[in-house]
């Protein structure tokens, strides 16, 4: 499902927020368990944990080993959300995995865990293994030996990034070897999928695409991936069709011969034939997002959106070759590769293009211009109107944003120094009962005072 259909369309789930993927959203591992799969997760969860029901083991995974938050130290597995709000974040199933706190770099530690799972499972029985490596993500850390090949990179962030990626490459190779060694490989499908573009300020590079992680420019939303399997019909081909992360859910359930309930309203499509046989994608559009609470664009208006859409709202949509952005689209520079320079922005100035202030609508032909250099919104007003209409239709189906304020009870100090579930349902009931009682007492006292 698109973010607008889960309520998670604004930003990420913060460590201190009482928020998680809504419990009525059925997950991929839950559906695969229905058809006899063993389901295991290793790595980064980041879908909320404020209640026990939000934890990976309650959302379809038989086992979980990894972190609950979005980032943390690769060696100590500690994460600070703000000064003084710090905790340990490494779990085995539902408990803090203190005994794994051996200072092992997370990419290697997760790989070892995967190897153990593959060694102990029967390869003739179906297995779903979700590995969400922490790399590559800030903080930029890597074991020393991986830096050797990258001494020529002057930019220290870029050098660290390269070292982290080399370690990740080795990890993927080791997982693949384990699949071969333990007899899974011939009947396996390996999907390598990223979640967003790079962060140029932290060693990433999206060049020659525009923008960075956290924006709706192609540099923020276009991500590389591959599918590797002896079961693919067309091997070694490049798929240039529209594929979105929501497509994995129906694709994998269908491959596993699972059932998708008719009343489940999905935004994803089964794209196996697109990937395996090179057929056309069943998808004609992608709603990148509509974020109604992101900073509004100052000059945005209903008038600028032809009365169809308020262009102050941050949104982006792709329909066939066309892509439309509205509102405040975020950092929009093209950042050349920084591999051999510490010079920083003064090297970019010849590539920087400042849009005239006050723009709140952009239209690009992404097939012809994936770099988003030529804005066509004034040349094709009819296309703009069509895409605004589509945005408006999507918006009618959106659920309210779930972005609650932080809860002081989330502080790891109150939880044995560990980030973990803090919200207890029965407490809530007791509290409401108590508060009802307290309110009665208060009323009585107030009556006495008044008398």
């Amino acid at each position: 499902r698109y973010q607008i259909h889960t309520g998670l369309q604004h930003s990420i789930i913060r460590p201190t927020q009482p928020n998680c993927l809504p419990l009525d959203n059925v997950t991929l591992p839950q559906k695969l368990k229905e058809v006899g799969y063993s389901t295991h997760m290793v790595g980064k969860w980041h879908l909320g944990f404020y209640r026990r029901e939000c934890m990976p083991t309650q959302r379809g995974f038989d086992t979980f080993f990894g972190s609950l938050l979005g980032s943390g130290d690769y060696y100590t597995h500690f994460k600070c959300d703000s000064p003084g709000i710090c905790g340990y974040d490494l779990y085995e199933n539902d408990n803090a995995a203190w005994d794994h706190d051996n200072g092992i770099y997370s990419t290697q530690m997760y790989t070892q865990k995967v190897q153990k799972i593959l060694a102990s499972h029967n390869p003739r029985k179906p297995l779903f293994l979700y590995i969400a490596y922490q790399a590559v993500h800030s903080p930029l850390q890597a074991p020393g030996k991986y830096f050797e090949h990258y001494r020529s990179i002057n930019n220290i962030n870029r050098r660290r990034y390269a070292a982290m990626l080399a370690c990740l490459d080795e990890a993927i190779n080791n997982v693949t070897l384990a699949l071969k060694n333990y007899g899974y490989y011939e009947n396996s499908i390996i999907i390598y999928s990223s979640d967003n573009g790079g962060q140029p300020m932290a060693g990433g590079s999206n060049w020659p695409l525009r923008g960075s992680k956290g924006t709706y420019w192609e540099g923020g939303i276009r991500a590389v991936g591959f599918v590797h399997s002896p079961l693919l019909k067309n091997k070694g081909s490049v798929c240039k069709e529209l594929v979105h992360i929501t497509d994995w859910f129906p694709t994998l359930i269908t491959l596993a011969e699972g059932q998708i309930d008719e009343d489940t309203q999905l935004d994803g499509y089964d794209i196996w034939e697109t990937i395996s046989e090179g057929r056309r994608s069943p998808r004609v559009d992608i709603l990148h997002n509509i974020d109604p609470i992101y900073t509004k664009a100052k000059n945005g208006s209903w008038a600028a959106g032809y009365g169809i859409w308020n262009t102050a709202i941050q949104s982006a949509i792709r329909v066939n070759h066309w892509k439309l952005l509205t509102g405040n689209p975020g950092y929009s520079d093209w950042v050349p590769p920084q591999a051999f320079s510490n010079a920083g922005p003064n090297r970019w100035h010849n590539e920087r293009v400042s849009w005239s202030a006050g723009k709140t609508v952009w239209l690009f032909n992404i097939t012809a211009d994936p770099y988003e250099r030529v804005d066509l919104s004034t040349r094709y007003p009819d296309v703009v109107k069509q895409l605004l209409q589509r945005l408006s239709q999507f918006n009618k189906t959106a659920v309210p944003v779930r972005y609650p304020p932080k809860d002081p009870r989330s502080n790891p100090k109150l939880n044995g120094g560990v980030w973990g579930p803090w919200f207890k349902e029965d407490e809530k009931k007791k509290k409401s009962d108590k508060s009802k009682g307290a309110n009665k007492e208060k009323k009585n006292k107030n009556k006495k005072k008044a008398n």
Side-chain angles (χ1 to χ4, degrees), residues 81-103:
D81 183 54
S82 55
I85 311 285
C86 301
Y88 184 63
D89 180 27
L90 184 64
Y91 269 75
E92 178 122 50
N93 299 322
D94 294 336
N95 299 307
W98 290 109
D99 50 338
H100 283 85
D101 186 15
N102 310 323

Side-chain angles (χ1 to χ4, degrees), residues 207-278:
W207 178 263
L209 300 179
R210 185 176 187 179
S212 70
K213 171 181 173 173
T215 73
Y216 299 163
W217 301 108
E218 290 295 285
I221 57 174
R222 187 183 280 231
V224 289
F226 63 80
V227 176
H228 174 83
S229 173
L231 307 173
L232 285 169
K233 290 193 177 149
N234 296 359
K235 296 180 177 65
S237 59
V238 176
C239 173
K240 294 195 170 178
E241 292 290 305
L242 282 187
V243 171
H244 187 253
I245 200 154
T246 52
D247 299 333
W248 294 128
F249 183 89
T251 303
L252 295 182
I253 292 169
T254 307
L255 269 174
E257 297 178 355
Q259 287 298 311
I260 295 169
D261 310 321
E262 282 177 22
D263 57 344
T264 310
Q265 292 184 306
L266 290 185
D267 297 307
Y269 293 85
D270 176 1
I271 49 162
W272 182 247
E273 288 179 351
T274 306
I275 291 167
S276 178
E277 300 169 35

Side-chain angles (χ1 to χ4, degrees), residues 14 30 50 133 162 164 170 200 216 221 255 274 329 374 380 417:
R14 309 279 166 189
Q30 282 170 335
Y50 78 106
Y133 280 107
M164 294 170 84
E170 189 181 279
Y216 299 163
I221 57 174
L255 269 174
T274 306
V374 185
Y380 296 102

